[in-house]
Amino acid sequence: AGRSASQAALEFMKAYNNSSLETADIISKLNSALAKHCKITRAAAGGNGVDRLFFALKSLHAKKHPNEPIPTLFLDKSWQVLQETILSTSNCGNEALRHFGFGPVSQNGFGIGYIIKEDCINICVTSRHRQTDRYINSLTAYFGRIQDMLLEINPRISRRFLARDGTAESGGGYSFFGEDDMEMDAPPKVGRPLRE
């Protein structure tokens, strides 16, 4: 798993919430956080993430010492916290699909399946008992603010790339996939109209 918490991500969030900073400084922090996240993700994909190491240690102990209790590290509260993934994401990578669902991996978490396309990002958010609509609204507001910032520092960015018409739609938790009244002929509306 690629853990997204990093010092660079924290610095970006502090900058994002600091209204006295220049937009270019906030976007610079965003770029630093994205670069760090890409590095962490590449390491995890190569088997060098913290999760793989601990999983290997626990599995090796179970194989080599099947009759012994597991090491106290795996009984510690910090291990339990590390196993509780609140935000779990997965990129489908297939632009031909309209939707890609990905369920939460823990009872209290969110599952986010997304597809990055040429002119948009399709996102499906699921949860069992969380405030899915509230999360989607927050995510939509975040994307809108980042869009405004990108246009502010570079007005020549392709508007087609930045947004699609409409607003986020939500079916709330898992019910999204079972709604009979959902129009399947048109892609769901995500984002918001660009200002002219």
Side-chain angles (χ1 to χ4, degrees):
R3 300 287 176 173
S4 58
S6 67
Q7 188 63 38
L10 176 62
E11 293 303 319
F12 163 64
M13 290 312 303
K14 286 179 180 178
Y16 180 81
N17 290 303
N18 184 343
S19 59
S20 67
L21 286 179
E22 295 290 326
T23 300
D25 295 332
I26 297 169
I27 296 299
S28 175
K29 297 283 188 186
L30 172 61
N31 287 331
S32 295
L34 292 172
K36 179 65 175 178
H37 183 73
C38 288
K39 185 177 179 181
I40 291 169
T41 302
R42 278 193 298 275
N48 297 314
V50 64
D51 296 274
R52 294 286 185 214
L53 171 66
F54 284 121
F55 176 73
L57 289 173
K58 187 176 180 183
S59 298
L60 187 61
H61 179 271
K63 185 176 182 177
K64 297 276 187 182
H65 310 284
N67 298 325
E68 292 182 20
I70 62 172
T72 57
L73 166 70
F74 300 108
L75 301 173
D76 190 83
K77 176 142 177 71
S78 60
W79 174 254
Q80 300 306 319
V81 169
L82 188 61
Q83 298 308 296
E84 181 72 13
T85 303
I86 300 300
L87 188 63
S88 185
T89 63
S90 184
N91 176 14
C92 173
N94 185 344
E95 286 190 46
L97 294 176
R98 183 182 305 177
H99 299 290
F100 171 65
F102 182 76
V105 296
S106 68
Q107 283 293 109
N108 296 318
F110 291 100
I112 301 177
Y114 63 98
I115 306 170
I116 300 173
K117 299 188 174 193
E118 182 181 339
D119 62 347
C120 67
I121 301 173
N122 285 355
I123 300 173
C124 176
V125 179
T126 59
S127 67
R128 292 186 175 105
H129 306 288
R130 301 288 298 240
Q131 298 175 0
T132 309
D133 289 341
R134 184 176 176 191
Y135 184 81
I136 290 170
N137 291 336
S138 296
L139 193 59
T140 301
Y142 167 80
F143 283 143
R145 182 164 177 219
I146 292 296
Q147 171 183 297
D148 291 343
M149 288 179 180
L150 290 171
L151 285 171
E152 180 184 328
I153 64 171
N154 188 355
R156 297 187 320 176
I157 291 176
S158 171
R159 291 178 182 269
R160 182 180 63 86
F161 178 73
L162 286 176
R164 295 172 59 190
D165 291 337
T167 58
E169 295 179 359
S170 170
Y174 286 122
S175 64
F176 177 86
F177 296 104
E179 290 185 7
D180 295 329
D181 60 346
M182 186 176 158
E183 292 181 22
M184 293 307 290
D185 293 335
K189 296 176 180 177
V190 177
R192 60 191 168 86
L194 284 168
R195 288 183 227 133
E196 292 300 325

PDB file of all heavy atoms in Angstrom, residues 48-49 107 150 163 166:
ATOM      1  N   ASN A  48       8.562  -2.376  -1.631  1.00  0.00           N
ATOM      2  CA  ASN A  48       9.401  -1.703  -0.646  1.00  0.00           C
ATOM      3  C   ASN A  48       8.616  -0.810   0.305  1.00  0.00           C
ATOM      4  O   ASN A  48       9.183   0.051   0.957  1.00  0.00           O
ATOM      5  CB  ASN A  48      10.476  -0.871  -1.358  1.00  0.00           C
ATOM      6  CG  ASN A  48      11.398  -1.753  -2.154  1.00  0.00           C
ATOM      7  OD1 ASN A  48      11.853  -2.781  -1.677  1.00  0.00           O
ATOM      8  ND2 ASN A  48      11.657  -1.374  -3.398  1.00  0.00           N
ATOM      9  N   GLY A  49       7.308  -1.005   0.384  1.00  0.00           N
ATOM     10  CA  GLY A  49       6.496  -0.220   1.307  1.00  0.00           C
ATOM     11  C   GLY A  49       6.517  -0.821   2.695  1.00  0.00           C
ATOM     12  O   GLY A  49       6.852  -1.993   2.886  1.00  0.00           O
ATOM     13  N   GLN A 107     -14.193  -1.370   8.087  1.00  0.00           N
ATOM     14  CA  GLN A 107     -15.567  -1.011   8.443  1.00  0.00           C
ATOM     15  C   GLN A 107     -15.795   0.496   8.464  1.00  0.00           C
ATOM     16  O   GLN A 107     -16.852   0.965   8.092  1.00  0.00           O
ATOM     17  CB  GLN A 107     -15.914  -1.576   9.816  1.00  0.00           C
ATOM     18  CG  GLN A 107     -16.212  -3.060   9.816  1.00  0.00           C
ATOM     19  CD  GLN A 107     -17.480  -3.386   9.055  1.00  0.00           C
ATOM     20  OE1 GLN A 107     -17.423  -3.964   7.988  1.00  0.00           O
ATOM     21  NE2 GLN A 107     -18.612  -3.004   9.596  1.00  0.00           N
ATOM     22  N   LEU A 150      -5.082  26.761 -10.399  1.00  0.00           N
ATOM     23  CA  LEU A 150      -4.318  26.466 -11.608  1.00  0.00           C
ATOM     24  C   LEU A 150      -4.606  27.490 -12.703  1.00  0.00           C
ATOM     25  O   LEU A 150      -3.693  27.933 -13.409  1.00  0.00           O
ATOM     26  CB  LEU A 150      -4.622  25.052 -12.098  1.00  0.00           C
ATOM     27  CG  LEU A 150      -4.092  23.924 -11.226  1.00  0.00           C
ATOM     28  CD1 LEU A 150      -4.633  22.583 -11.691  1.00  0.00           C
ATOM     29  CD2 LEU A 150      -2.566  23.915 -11.206  1.00  0.00           C
ATOM     30  N   ALA A 163     -12.168  20.788 -16.353  1.00  0.00           N
ATOM     31  CA  ALA A 163     -13.485  20.538 -15.765  1.00  0.00           C
ATOM     32  C   ALA A 163     -14.486  20.044 -16.791  1.00  0.00           C
ATOM     33  O   ALA A 163     -14.311  20.211 -17.977  1.00  0.00           O
ATOM     34  CB  ALA A 163     -14.018  21.817 -15.127  1.00  0.00           C
ATOM     35  N   GLY A 166     -21.518  20.350 -14.891  1.00  0.00           N
ATOM     36  CA  GLY A 166     -22.364  19.641 -13.932  1.00  0.00           C
ATOM     37  C   GLY A 166     -21.840  19.695 -12.525  1.00  0.00           C
ATOM     38  O   GLY A 166     -20.918  20.410 -12.200  1.00  0.00           O
TER      39      GLY A 166
END
